Every structure is written in structure tokens, then in C-alpha cells.
Amino acid sequence: MFHVYWPATACLTLFLIVGVIMVMLRYGPKLCKTRHVAFDDDTDWQQKAYEQKVSYA
């Protein structure tokens, strides 16, 4: 009997997932404090890591 309802269930699930993604993109910074800026490049992280002092104690 489930074979009759799976297209409607799949469509409802797709709309639900797309709706959640759109809400997170629109209201994410207010609701979840999500970021809207890109991370630094790998070279920036490598330069910061190599500039640290190393102690031989």
C-alpha cells in the first residue's frame, strides 16, 4: 500500500528540506549565529603557524 504514497511523501520531504535550507540561509545569522564570511586561505593559516616561537625546554 505504501507504493501509492511514496511520490507524495518524496515531494513533501523535498519541499521540507529545501524550505529548511532557505530558512537557514535567510535567518541563520539571527537564529543560529552562523557565519556569512569565508574562511582564510591555507597559506594564511600556514604563515601564522610557522611564525610561532618554538621553545626547547
Side-chain angles (χ1 to χ4, degrees):
M1 184 101 181
F2 182 70
H3 66 279
V4 176
Y5 300 114
W6 78 264
T9 307
C11 185
L12 179 66
T13 305
L14 180 68
F15 285 136
L16 182 67
I17 291 172
V18 170
V20 167
I21 290 172
M22 290 178 70
V23 166
M24 288 301 294
L25 288 174
R26 177 71 174 109
Y27 300 107
K30 295 178 187 173
L31 297 174
C32 303
K33 307 294 186 231
T34 55
R35 298 169 42 105
H36 275 247
V37 294
F39 288 117
D40 293 335
D41 292 338
D42 288 339
T43 55
D44 294 337
W45 287 101
Q46 289 172 356
Q47 293 298 326
K48 289 177 185 176
Y50 290 138
E51 289 175 359
Q52 296 178 359
K53 294 211 177 228
V54 177
S55 64
Y56 298 102

